[in-house]
């Protein structure tokens, strides 16, 4: 089955700096890669996603890049703000797994003033 | 995206008892999923709730421990049976909305925080 690895597990940046979180996946049949933000006491919230036929997608301060050859994808947050502090999860969906998502282990992002 | 109401939001239960968690969606959805998130950990899929048939369980999860119902396209329940402290986790409902096309639209509820004492 699919296996998703995520790094780093914790990340601390100063307000205004950029943050990058990286994930790798194992199943070359995976075709959908969402990123979720989870704040304390809340459920995961989808912040951006990318399909396998696209190499990059941007939404304001957030961008995701995908390298299908290397089987890795990354989340980029620019001009970080204190409200970006949360746990971020990447996930992958394989066409052969009945629509289920496999999640990475999470990255705790702390944006300091 | 779909709006999910998950109840209860939290509970403290005695070991050996059972708790049923409800997931109500504001629109018909193709697929419903139940996840477990242990403290400080990632999300692990328990099962896919199938409308009108038995749920599809992932490795390590069994129907006797986590019976699931899905009577229609907007509602599902997960029961955590014969609970032990190791069942203390956040349980999350997730849905994929019907007709999203290329927008896969996996949405999560706010979760049920279960503590077993």
């Amino acid at each position: 089955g699919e296996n998703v690895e995520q790094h780093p597990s914790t990340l601390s940046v100063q307000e205004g700096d950029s943050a990058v979180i990286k994930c790798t996946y194992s199943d070359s049949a995976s075709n959908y890669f969402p990123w979720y933000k989870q704040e304390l006491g809340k459920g995961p919230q989808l912040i951006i996603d990318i399909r396998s036929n696209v190499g990059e997608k941007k939404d304001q301060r957030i961008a995701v890049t995908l390298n299908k050859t290397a089987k890795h994808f990354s989340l980029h947050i620019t001009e970080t703000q204190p409200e970006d502090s949360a746990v971020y999860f990447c996930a992958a969906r394989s066409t052969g797994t009945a629509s289920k998502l496999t999640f990475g282990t999470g990255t705790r992002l702390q944006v300091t003033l | 995206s779909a709006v999910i109401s998950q109840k209860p939001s939290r509970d403290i239960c005695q070991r050996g008892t059972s708790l049923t968690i409800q997931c109500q969606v504001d629109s018909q959805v193709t697929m419903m999923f139940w996840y477990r998130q242990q403290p400080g950990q990632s999300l692990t899929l328990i099962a896919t709730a199938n409308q009108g048939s038995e749920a599809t369980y992932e490795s390590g999860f069994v129907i006797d421990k986590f019976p699931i119902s899905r009577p229609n396209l907007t509602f599902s329940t997960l029961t955590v049976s014969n609970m032990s402290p190791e069942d203390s986790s956040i349980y999350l409902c997730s849905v994929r909305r019907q007709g999203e096309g290329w927008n896969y639209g996996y949405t999560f509820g706010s979760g049920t925080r279960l503590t077993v004492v």
Side-chain angles (χ1 to χ4, degrees):
Chain A
E2 176 65 279
N3 181 53
V4 179
E5 296 188 356
Q6 184 172 345
H7 299 280
S9 58
T10 61
L11 179 60
S12 181
V13 299
Q14 286 195 324
E15 183 180 8
D17 288 349
S18 296
V20 180
I21 303 171
K22 299 181 179 181
C23 289
T24 60
Y25 60 98
S26 61
D27 190 346
S28 57
S30 290
N31 63 357
Y32 174 67
F33 308 91
W35 284 90
Y36 288 87
K37 175 184 181 181
Q38 187 174 30
E39 297 176 311
L40 192 63
K42 297 184 178 180
Q45 180 184 11
L46 178 69
I47 56 172
I48 197 167
D49 56 10
I50 192 168
R51 302 188 299 272
S52 58
N53 60 347
V54 177
E56 183 174 1
K57 182 177 179 180
K58 189 175 182 180
D59 182 5
Q60 300 183 355
R61 296 186 297 109
I62 295 173
V64 56
T65 59
L66 171 65
N67 184 327
K68 286 180 58 180
T69 302
K71 289 190 284 188
H72 67 71
F73 56 112
S74 300
L75 176 71
H76 304 255
I77 306 174
T78 59
E79 301 174 20
T80 53
Q81 302 167 1
E83 50 265 38
D84 294 329
S85 297
V87 179
Y88 292 80
F89 291 98
C90 63
R93 175 195 180 276
S94 174
T95 55
T97 56
S99 293
K100 60 184 182 183
L101 296 177
T102 301
F103 283 83
T105 49
T107 297
R108 182 172 299 278
L109 174 63
Q110 181 69 46
V111 180
T112 58
L113 296 173
Chain B
S1 60
V3 176
I4 299 172
S5 174
Q6 193 172 331
K7 296 178 180 179
S9 59
R10 62 179 64 241
D11 208 341
I12 301 174
C13 300
Q14 295 291 323
R15 67 177 66 199
T17 63
S18 297
L19 176 71
T20 295
I21 302 167
Q22 297 181 358
C23 178
Q24 177 72 56
V25 192
D26 69 339
S27 57
Q28 293 186 340
V29 292
T30 308
M31 307 192 76
M32 298 181 77
F33 307 89
W34 287 99
Y35 285 83
R36 181 175 72 183
Q37 186 177 27
Q38 295 178 305
Q41 302 297 313
S42 185
L43 289 78
T44 301
L45 181 64
I46 297 172
T48 301
N50 301 308
Q51 193 258 333
S53 65
E54 191 172 289
T56 304
Y57 289 85
E58 297 301 303
S59 176
F61 298 96
V62 295
I63 188 171
D64 289 347
K65 177 67 176 178
F66 298 101
I68 288 171
S69 78
R70 188 178 175 190
N72 55 51
L73 293 177
T74 64
F75 185 78
S76 178
T77 67
L78 168 74
T79 299
V80 186
S81 303
N82 188 25
M83 289 183 286
S84 67
E86 292 71 35
D87 294 319
S88 298
S89 288
I90 300 172
Y91 292 86
L92 293 151
C93 172
S94 176
V95 305
R96 177 185 171 185
R97 190 170 180 180
Q98 188 173 8
E100 289 284 358
W102 276 107
N103 179 1
Y104 289 95
Y106 293 81
T107 304
F108 282 83
S110 55
T112 296
R113 284 147 189 80
L114 171 63
T115 302
V116 183
V117 298

